[in-house]
Amino acid sequence: MKLFLIGYMGCGKSSLGRRLAKRLEIDFVDMDKSIEAEAEMTIPQIFATEGEVSFRKREREMITKLGSTEGDRIIATGGGAPCREGNLELINSFGSSIYLKVPPKILVERLCRHKEKRPLITGKSDEEVAEFVNRSLAERETYYNRASMVIDCAGRSDEYIVEHLYNFLKYNR
Ligand code: S3P
C-alpha cells in the first residue's frame, strides 16, 4: 500500500502522516526531506540556487521514486506536488491519495508562525500570506479535490483524524 497525503502547506501532512504510519506499523516518508537529502540542500536553498522550476522537476521525480519503491508506506507530499498537470494521476497510479482539507484561516495562522521554512511565503507580511493562501488554495483545490479521498479536518482533533483514517485503511487495504 502506498498512501500519499496531499494538501496545502501547514495542513498537517507530515505530523498526521507520521502518527498514522505508527498506528498502521508501516514506514513514513516525508517527500520534502527525501528531496533535501538527495539534493544535499534545504528546500529554501534549492529554490534560491536552482529556482522553483527545478524544484518541481525534483518533486515529480521523487513521486516516481517513492511510489515505485517496494513496501507499504505513507508519503507526505509537498503542498505543490500534486498541482502540476499529470502529477496527481501519477500519484494515484502508485496508490491512493488523501486530501487533508483545512480552512484557509487556520492555514494562515499556522503558516505565519513559520514563514522562513517555506520559500513561497518567506518575506511576506501576515496580510500578504493571507492573500496568497486564499488565492493559491482556490487554484490548487482543483487538483486536491481529485484525490482518492477528501477528509475535512476542520474542527477535528489529530487523534480523530488518525483513527478515522486508520479504520478506513484497515478495512480497505
Ligand atoms: C510547497 C510546499 C512545501 C515545500 C515547498 C513548496 C508548496 O511543503 O514543498 O516549500 O508549493 O506548497 P509543505 O506543504 O510540507 O510545507
Side-chain angles (χ1 to χ4, degrees):
M1 177 189 67
K2 299 280 186 304
L3 185 72
F4 292 81
L5 297 182
I6 69 169
Y8 205 81
M9 295 181 275
C11 73
K13 299 174 296 269
S14 302
S15 56
L16 290 168
R18 204 168 277 117
R19 290 173 74 151
L20 181 60
K22 202 169 167 198
R23 186 82 173 84
L24 288 163
E25 299 180 339
I26 61 174
D27 286 342
F28 169 77
V29 185
D30 185 317
M31 211 172 95
D32 279 343
K33 294 263 183 297
S34 303
I35 293 173
E36 290 185 329
E38 196 172 85
E40 297 181 352
M41 281 185 274
T42 63
I43 302 287
Q45 283 167 342
I46 298 173
F47 269 71
T49 59
E50 300 181 349
E52 184 175 349
V53 173
S54 167
F55 174 73
R56 299 301 174 195
K57 193 163 162 272
R58 286 181 177 277
E59 244 178 355
R60 188 174 167 92
E61 285 164 5
M62 194 52 78
I63 293 172
T64 302
K65 190 167 172 183
L66 296 177
S68 49
T69 308
E70 280 291 302
D72 289 346
R73 58 181 48 179
I74 297 199
I75 300 157
T77 66
C83 308
R84 294 292 165 284
E85 221 36 69
N87 279 12
L88 192 64
E89 290 67 24
L90 185 62
I91 286 172
N92 287 339
S93 75
F94 292 119
S96 309
S97 51
I98 297 184
Y99 170 31
L100 302 174
K101 188 178 165 82
V102 171
K105 191 170 174 292
I106 305 217
L107 294 172
V108 171
E109 274 167 28
R110 290 181 188 167
L111 291 173
C112 282
R113 291 199 289 264
H114 301 288
K115 292 178 200 167
E116 70 296 334
K117 285 197 307 195
R118 295 177 165 107
L120 295 181
I121 53 168
T122 307
K124 287 187 166 43
S125 68
D126 289 2
E127 291 69 30
E128 285 167 339
V129 171
E131 195 273 327
F132 177 78
V133 170
N134 282 296
R135 181 170 40 80
S136 60
L137 179 62
E139 288 163 11
R140 287 181 170 194
E141 279 211 308
T142 324
Y143 297 94
Y144 295 154
N145 283 327
R146 289 193 225 148
S148 327
M149 179 180 169
V150 178
I151 175 153
D152 194 348
C153 301
R156 293 181 166 149
S157 67
D158 284 3
E159 290 73 21
Y160 174 91
I161 296 164
V162 169
E163 276 317 291
H164 181 78
L165 290 174
Y166 173 77
N167 286 317
F168 175 79
L169 293 166
K170 212 168 79 176
Y171 300 108
N172 292 282
R173 265 169 106 163

